[in-house]
Amino acid sequence: MEKVRLSLIVPCYNEQETLPVFYQETKKVLGEMDCDYEFIFVDDGSSDGTLSILQKFSAEDPHVFYLSFSRNFGKEAAMYAGFSNASGAYVTVMDADMQDPPSLLPQMLEILRGGEYDSVATCRSTRRGEPKIRSWAAKRFYQLINKISDADIVDGARDFRLMKREMADVIVSMGEHNRFSKGIYGWIGFRTYWLPYDNVERVAGETKWSFWKLFRYAVNGIINFSQVPLSIASWFGISMTACSFFFLLVIIVRKLLFGDPVAGWASTICVIIFIGGIQLFCLGIMGQYIAKTYMETKGRPHYIIAQSNKKDVKKIK
Ligand code: UDP
Ligand code: MG
């Protein structure tokens, strides 16, 4: 019987310190598993020795493919390039820093082979070793996005997930430019098994995500998967109309009872500034959506591959 093929997509951005550890450990685990496999390392425009390490791996090991971007396009683009070029019956995405433990792979494959599930997703059972403020903000984000969008996103979910070919094909077919994988996974559905594990810290190097980068990523996630912010303007409009109507009544009654003393210059200015602020805020929200629409309509490629050892590589998509 022919062995099934497992594709491991590994986005790498300046990972020269972690790559050798990752490669060795993962290869060891794969060697003990009963399957064929391929590594698809995506060098996301690294400026360190990442590419030369990948070239070395691929020269010695026919299981290794690398795709090297012409510049840094971000992890989402790297994952998309991986999905577009993966050929396995099972596909998974793994970080190069060992935060997605390869030791989970046999168990994940076992679950999929059982036939009851289409994907096995991992989530962190704790956020140990992470700054408090980051954990707090992440929790609020998941609460919010689950309330206002129809993408079902689990708190602590990682991008590390093993899935069947069918699901990978759907992900490739979703060619949106503003990508947010956690949302895409949740949105497309399929039967998913959740596998919790203890948070592992990166073996070497540093995280590429600053708090603000994560914040922007979260805002993008919300805009990509929900139209609720767009209706904020309408709600403000309705409630302010109601308020102003009430105050109109108050002014009329006051005029009838007490005459019309000239007062309220400061309060007038406050109201003008307040309403002006709300209008700009709502305009800003609309601007965000328009900007996204603009980028989508341009239809630029998600990534550009400058170098690869894969013969039938899709260089631009
Ligand atoms: N990564 C990438 N492009 C980027 C940033 C990160 O391909 O622009 C990769 C990085 O090499 C790693 C994975 O995405 O394999 C996760 O990055 P990191 O460990 O910095 O994020 P964290 O685990 O802290 O969320
Ligand atoms: Mg990491």
Side-chain angles (χ1 to χ4, degrees):
M1 200 177 78
E2 205 179 315
K3 289 182 178 176
V4 289
R5 193 177 175 86
L6 185 66
S7 297
L8 294 101
I9 299 166
V10 191
C12 314
Y13 179 49
N14 294 341
E15 298 284 4
Q16 61 179 9
E17 284 128 52
T18 62
L19 266 177
V21 188
F22 170 83
Y23 175 64
Q24 245 171 29
E25 291 293 317
T26 311
K27 219 172 149 54
K28 206 159 64 191
V29 174
L30 289 167
E32 289 159 9
M33 285 166 68
D34 179 33
C35 65
D36 181 24
Y37 62 89
E38 64 175 359
F39 284 100
I40 300 185
F41 289 103
V42 186
D43 164 33
D44 186 10
S46 304
S47 51
D48 66 354
T50 299
L51 179 59
S52 53
I53 292 179
L54 295 180
Q55 283 167 334
K56 203 178 103 225
F57 290 165
S58 66
E60 293 161 4
D61 182 352
H63 292 293
V64 174
F65 296 106
Y66 68 85
L67 318 170
S68 178
F69 284 178
S70 61
R71 65 169 169 87
N72 178 250
F73 280 89
K75 185 184 176 187
E76 288 289 342
M79 292 196 287
Y80 193 56
F83 276 114
S84 306
N85 286 288
S87 65
Y90 296 99
V91 182
T92 182
V93 178
M94 295 179 83
D95 285 2
D97 57 6
M98 299 294 288
Q99 284 191 297
D100 299 329
S103 55
L104 293 178
L105 283 172
Q107 191 189 350
M108 290 163 85
L109 187 63
E110 202 57 42
I111 294 171
L112 281 196
R113 278 184 163 162
E116 207 181 320
Y117 294 97
D118 302 304
S119 82
V120 181
T122 59
C123 58
R124 293 187 288 189
S125 52
T126 61
R127 287 181 168 271
R128 217 164 2 99
E130 193 183 60
K132 282 251 154 43
I133 170 97
R134 188 182 273 207
S135 305
W136 180 85
K139 277 227 169 68
R140 296 291 89 71
F141 164 72
Y142 285 111
Q143 269 174 358
L144 181 67
I145 196 162
N146 278 319
K147 215 172 256 163
I148 64 175
S149 79
D150 49 8
D152 176 23
I153 303 175
V154 173
D155 182 8
R158 311 240 346 139
D159 291 328
F160 179 30
R161 142 182 330 232
L162 183 67
M163 65 193 82
K164 287 187 179 162
R165 181 79 253 160
E166 292 85 343
M167 200 166 159
D169 286 340
V170 176
I171 291 173
V172 175
S173 78
M174 291 180 70
E176 60 208 73
H177 279 260
N178 298 289
R179 297 186 78 77
F180 182 66
S181 282
K182 290 185 176 71
I184 293 179
Y185 291 155
W187 188 88
I188 59 178
F190 288 98
R191 298 164 303 172
T192 301
Y193 182 93
W194 284 94
L195 190 66
Y197 69 96
D198 272 349
N199 193 23
V200 188
E201 290 190 33
R202 192 184 233 287
V203 278
E206 268 180 24
T207 174
K208 276 90 196 170
W209 295 90
S210 66
F211 185 81
W212 285 112
K213 218 172 152 190
L214 270 180
F215 180 74
R216 276 212 306 273
Y217 185 65
V219 170
N220 272 334
I222 291 174
I223 293 178
N224 287 342
F225 281 92
S226 171
Q227 274 101 39
V228 170
L230 276 177
S231 54
I232 287 178
S234 321
W235 286 113
F236 271 135
I238 291 170
S239 47
M240 296 201 90
T241 311
C243 281
S244 64
F245 189 70
F246 172 74
F247 282 117
L248 188 72
L249 288 181
V250 171
I251 288 169
I252 291 174
V253 170
R254 201 174 60 176
K255 158 96 179 153
L256 292 178
L257 294 183
F258 308 107
D260 189 21
V262 179
W265 182 83
S267 58
T268 310
I269 295 293
C270 281
V271 169
I272 291 174
I273 293 177
F274 178 65
I275 295 180
I278 286 183
Q279 282 174 338
L280 284 182
F281 175 69
C282 295
L283 211 60
I285 293 177
M286 273 190 245
Q288 292 281 333
Y289 282 87
I290 295 173
K292 299 252 174 231
T293 315
Y294 175 59
M295 287 315 288
E296 292 291 344
T297 53
K298 279 194 182 192
R300 284 188 180 163
H302 295 84
Y303 60 82
I304 301 166
I305 294 176
Q307 267 188 69
S308 173
N309 67 331
K310 206 169 189 306
K311 276 199 202 78
D312 52 348
V313 66
K314 296 194 182 73
K315 284 210 157 165
I316 296 178
K317 184 155 178 157

